[in-house]
Amino acid sequence: MTSGVTRRKPSLRVAQKEMTRRLLLTTALELFEAKGYPATTIDDIANAAGTTRVTFYAHFPARIDLIKALFADLNAFLQRDEDAGVPSDTTLVAAVRSGSRAAIEAWIGQSASRWPKVQPYLRVADEAAITDQDIRALVDQWWDEAYRDLETGLDQAGRFDPASRRTRAELAFAQLHHMATSWLRRGWQVESADVELAVLTGSWCALLGVDLHYELSIDIL
């Protein structure tokens, strides 16, 4: 028995429009990675995607709209909530609230597995922010949401002096971002990955967790 409600399928025109939009986004990211954001023009993107400037602007009226769309893709991949006033990454909040080495280590390990996908987006955004104040504000907002997740976890746990929580959050994420960038610069072939992630985890435990006396012993042959 049917409900009598007919669901309309997306039209071919709508599907083609979305496919073109996705192609422009993918092409733009590839060109930004290859040539750098400042050296990549709208014509470069349109030509590489096999379309025109007119079509590009029909999807993205300004370059910042393109960057916003890339951030939306990144947030979707990371399963980050874009709604204001709520944590963007509830798993990160939970790990910090727990404060245990196991929880922090698990989150960092999951994050590291995503670095090859995530870092190109952040690198492009950082480049774009140098010359565009609107994009700078967008990038700052994205990082601020990540910092707030860490602060929220610490707030919920009631751990550390409240005045120090923002600083702890920024230091922790700076370490994470630096290591991710360094790994990708070396071609993702990291012989000491386990040791490096263990050191990062230990640093996060000292900054955010309950294990303040964690030490990592490394035998140097």
Side-chain angles (χ1 to χ4, degrees), residues 115-116 119 123 175-197 199-200:
W115 286 349
Q119 285 304 110
R123 186 158 52 241
Q175 293 172 358
L176 185 79
H177 186 43
H178 174 78
M179 183 171 287
T181 302
S182 178
W183 277 29
L184 292 181
R185 190 179 298 119
R186 286 179 273 165
W188 204 246
Q189 301 299 319
V190 183
E191 296 178 359
S192 57
D194 290 342
V195 170
E196 292 187 17
L197 289 177
V199 171
L200 179 61

Side-chain angles (χ1 to χ4, degrees), residues 20-132:
T20 299
R21 179 181 177 278
R22 298 303 317 166
L23 178 60
L24 287 167
L25 281 173
T26 301
T27 303
L29 186 60
E30 290 174 351
L31 288 176
F32 291 154
E33 275 285 277
K35 300 177 58 176
Y37 179 85
T40 303
T41 67
I42 300 303
D43 283 332
D44 290 336
I45 298 170
N47 291 337
T51 185
T52 65
R53 285 175 64 90
V54 173
T55 299
F56 178 92
Y57 283 119
H59 291 277
F60 306 107
R63 289 172 72 94
I64 191 171
D65 295 303
L66 176 67
I67 298 298
K68 285 180 177 179
L70 289 174
F71 264 111
D73 280 356
L74 177 59
N75 285 336
F77 172 71
L78 294 175
Q79 297 181 319
R80 283 168 53 102
D81 196 324
E82 294 183 293
D83 292 336
V86 300
S88 61
D89 187 338
T90 55
T91 61
L92 176 56
V93 173
V96 175
R97 181 175 64 245
S98 165
S100 71
R101 176 173 174 80
I104 291 173
E105 185 175 42
W107 189 88
I108 287 177
Q110 181 186 49
S111 177
S113 71
R114 296 170 171 175
W115 286 349
K117 173 78 172 182
V118 170
Q119 285 304 110
Y121 287 86
L122 297 183
R123 186 158 52 241
V124 166
D126 285 342
E127 278 191 4
I130 294 173
T131 57
D132 191 316

Side-chain angles (χ1 to χ4, degrees), residues 190-213:
V190 183
E191 296 178 359
S192 57
D194 290 342
V195 170
E196 292 187 17
L197 289 177
V199 171
L200 179 61
T201 299
S203 183
W204 270 47
C205 287
L207 283 167
L208 308 168
V210 295
D211 187 4
L212 303 182
H213 303 290

Side-chain angles (χ1 to χ4, degrees), residues 162-175:
S164 76
R165 291 170 186 166
R166 174 71 179 204
T167 300
R168 291 175 180 276
E170 292 190 8
L171 286 172
F173 254 100
Q175 293 172 358

